[in-house]
Amino acid sequence: KGGYISKKEQRGFGLKFKLQSYVAISRFQPGTRIKYGPNPKTHGSKSFARYAGYRQAKTVGEALKCGAKVADLFWELERGDYKVLGGVRSDEQEAAAIGQKAVDKARAQLSNVKGPHGCPVQLNDPAAEKKLLEEETWRAERLQKVEQRAKSLGLRVESTDEIEASNESADIRLQRRVADAISKQKLASGRKIVDADILEVLEHWGFSENTQRLNVMRPGQKYVYSDTVGAIRARCAGFQPTPPTWRYPSFARVLNRWLSDNMPKGLAAKFVCTAINLNCNYNGCRHRDQNNEGPSIIRAFGKFKGGKLQYWSKDVQKPRLKLDMLRASDATIFDLSKQTVVFDGNRAHEVDPFEGQRYSVVFFSAKGYGKGKQKDVSFLSKECGFRFPGPGDMARLKRACAC
C-alpha cells in the first residue's frame, strides 16, 4: 500500500486471530459437533455462496468437506457465525457420513493449526498469552525502527513479486535488506568494525522462526530465532551457501570483518570457518553440535543480564556421557558479553537464562567443506569475507586449539 511494511487488513490478508481461537480450534476433531447460524455474508458474493454450501454441516469435518477453509473456522468462530455444541461424533460415524477420505483430509488440515505467528511456546502453556504479547510488542517496535532506517537509507519499496521471489516474508525481507545496507556502509567507511557496529546490524536483521534446531530448544518451545549465513551441508543439495548468504553478502562480510579486526588473542593458527550461526533472544539448552569441524568462535552482543556460556571442555570421553549426567561443577563459565571465546561446539555447552536483548554469533566450519564447489568458495571468500579452509588449515587449527 505504498509503504515498506504491509498493514493488516480485514479479510484475506494479514489475518490475525485471538490466541483463545487457536486454543479452541487446535482441539477440534473432524467429528466435533457445530451448528451454523444464518448466512452473514454479502448476498450475491462468492463467500455467500460458499457459506451456503457448508451452512448445514453438523461437524467440523463435514464443513471442511463442503467447502469451508480452516481460516473460515477462525473467522466465523470469532464472529459467532457458528456454535460449538460439545461432543464429538465418532470416527466411524464421521466416516459413514462424509467418507474416510474426507475424514483423513480434515484431520490433516486441523493438525496444521500450531498457534498464532510469533507465539514461541505451545498453546497449552499457561504463559502463552503473555509470551505472545511480548513477542508482538518486540516485533512491532523492531519493524517500526527498521522502516524508519529504510527510509533514511533511501531503500526502494519492493513489489509483491520481488518479495515473493526472495522466498522470505515481507517483514523479514525488509529487515535483511536494511541490515545488508547498513553493513555495506560500514564496510565502505574503511574503519575498524567494533562491537557496536555488529549490534547495530543484528538489531536490524530479520531472524527466522527456526523450528529445526530441536537440540537447543527447551521443553515447550516451538522455535528459536536462529539463522546461518555461509556454507553448510544441506541434506539434499550437498555443501553450499545458504540462501540468505547469496542475497546479503555485505551482512556476512561485516561479521567476518569484525572477527578479523577483533581476533581473540593467543590464537596460534589461522582461524578458518565456512559459516556463521546467528541467534537471538533464546538460551540454548545443554547440547552438542553434530556437524561442526574443528574449533568455533563465539561472542554475544546486546543489553542483557545473565546469559553466560557453560562449556564442558573435557567432554571428549567415549562413550559420551548423557548430557544430563555432566556435572555443573565441571563446566567453565564464560561471560560472552565481555569475552570472545574459542571453543569446540561438538562438546557440551549451554546458555544461562538472561533478561534483556541478547544476540550471539558463532563462527564455525561445517563438516564436508572439502566438497564445496570452487565457484561457491570463491563467492564466500571474495564477496563475504570468509577465511575458507584450505589444504592443511583445519589440521593446524585443531593442533593449535585444545579448546
Side-chain angles (χ1 to χ4, degrees):
K1 302 298 181 182
Y4 290 101
I5 299 174
S6 301
K7 307 302 180 189
K8 304 296 182 185
E9 296 183 10
Q10 283 295 311
R11 183 71 200 264
F13 184 82
L15 290 177
K16 180 180 177 183
F17 302 110
K18 298 175 182 177
L19 180 65
Q20 293 86 343
S21 299
Y22 278 96
V23 172
I25 292 175
S26 71
R27 295 171 179 166
F28 280 2
Q29 299 178 43
T32 297
R33 299 181 187 275
I34 57 177
K35 182 178 181 179
Y36 282 94
N39 197 326
K41 316 297 183 181
T42 302
H43 188 77
S45 67
K46 291 181 179 179
S47 57
F48 183 92
R50 198 158 55 82
Y51 187 93
Y54 57 81
R55 181 187 167 192
Q56 301 303 321
K58 297 178 181 179
T59 65
V60 170
E62 193 173 342
L64 291 171
K65 181 183 180 182
C66 293
K69 301 177 182 178
V70 173
D72 294 320
L73 296 176
F74 282 93
W75 184 265
E76 290 154 6
L77 177 65
E78 293 193 354
R79 283 150 188 79
D81 296 332
Y82 69 89
K83 293 181 179 179
V84 181
L85 300 179
V88 179
R89 198 155 67 180
S90 70
D91 286 349
E92 292 77 12
Q93 292 174 319
E94 192 69 9
I98 67 174
Q100 188 61 51
K101 186 176 180 179
V103 172
D104 293 340
K105 183 178 180 180
R107 196 181 305 282
Q109 288 175 285
L110 294 170
S111 69
N112 289 324
V113 176
K114 303 298 184 183
H117 178 65
C119 185
V121 296
Q122 302 297 332
L123 292 173
N124 58 2
D125 191 315
E129 192 165 6
K130 177 184 176 183
K131 289 182 179 296
L132 177 59
L133 178 60
E134 291 173 349
E135 288 289 298
E136 288 179 335
T137 300
W138 178 75
R139 287 169 182 261
E141 292 174 349
R142 191 178 184 90
L143 286 173
Q144 183 179 32
K145 177 180 179 179
V146 166
E147 186 169 30
Q148 292 173 348
R149 192 60 179 271
K151 291 177 181 177
S152 69
L153 288 166
L155 290 189
R156 180 176 59 83
V157 177
E158 290 188 321
S159 67
T160 301
D161 288 343
E162 288 175 309
I163 295 171
E164 290 179 350
S166 73
N167 292 317
E168 297 169 344
S169 71
D171 292 352
I172 285 181
R173 170 65 176 162
L174 177 62
Q175 291 177 79
R176 292 179 175 181
R177 288 177 65 207
V178 170
D180 197 60
I182 294 172
S183 299
K184 191 175 295 185
Q185 283 188 340
K186 292 183 180 299
L187 291 166
S189 72
R191 62 177 176 78
K192 178 181 177 179
I193 302 299
V194 298
D195 294 0
D197 294 317
I198 299 305
L199 177 58
E200 184 179 356
V201 295
L202 291 173
E203 286 177 336
H204 290 82
W205 177 256
F207 285 88
S208 61
E209 295 178 4
N210 192 326
T211 60
Q212 303 303 310
R213 298 203 65 195
L214 301 178
N215 65 326
V216 303
M217 293 188 202
R218 296 183 182 273
Q221 274 188 290
K222 288 166 53 179
Y223 65 82
V224 291
Y225 288 123
S226 183
D227 293 311
T228 299
V229 293
I232 57 175
R233 183 174 57 185
R235 291 177 181 173
C236 301
F239 195 90
Q240 62 180 14
T242 64
T245 313
W246 293 106
R247 298 188 197 111
Y248 314 105
S250 294
F251 175 71
R253 190 174 188 84
V254 82
L255 294 170
N256 280 310
R257 202 20 219 290
W258 171 85
L259 181 60
S260 295
D261 290 347
N262 301 273
M263 193 65 70
K265 295 180 180 179
L267 200 56
K270 171 187 173 184
F271 182 81
V272 291
C273 67
T274 71
I276 307 169
N277 179 237
L278 311 162
N279 306 292
C280 173
N281 287 353
Y282 75 91
N283 59 311
C285 68
R286 190 176 303 179
H287 67 284
R288 300 180 180 105
D289 298 318
Q290 300 298 318
N291 297 305
N292 291 13
E293 180 76 24
S296 301
I297 288 180
I298 185 171
R299 181 64 186 264
F301 304 87
K303 297 178 181 179
F304 61 91
K305 293 181 180 180
K308 293 182 179 180
L309 175 71
Q310 296 191 44
Y311 173 55
W312 281 262
S313 61
K314 297 180 180 180
D315 178 34
V316 293
Q317 68 272 36
K318 294 191 178 175
R320 288 285 185 91
L321 291 175
K322 292 183 178 180
L323 290 169
D324 59 2
M325 294 181 66
L326 295 171
R327 296 182 300 182
S329 59
D330 290 336
T332 303
I333 311 299
F334 295 103
D335 185 348
L336 297 180
S337 67
K338 300 177 181 178
Q339 182 181 4
T340 303
V341 173
V342 181
F343 77 115
D344 183 351
N346 295 309
R347 305 179 195 183
H349 55 287
E350 69 176 301
V351 176
D352 291 339
F354 62 89
E355 295 180 357
Q357 301 296 312
R358 182 184 187 274
Y359 303 91
S360 67
V361 178
V362 185
F363 300 82
F364 70 100
S365 287
K367 291 180 179 178
Y369 64 85
K371 296 181 179 179
K373 297 178 181 178
Q374 185 54 48
K375 67 178 183 64
D376 293 342
V377 174
S378 178
F379 167 75
L380 291 166
S381 301
K382 295 179 180 179
E383 301 300 323
C384 302
F386 280 96
R387 293 183 172 186
F388 203 88
D393 285 339
M394 186 60 69
R396 285 189 287 271
L397 182 60
K398 287 182 178 180
R399 287 196 298 268
C401 301
C403 295

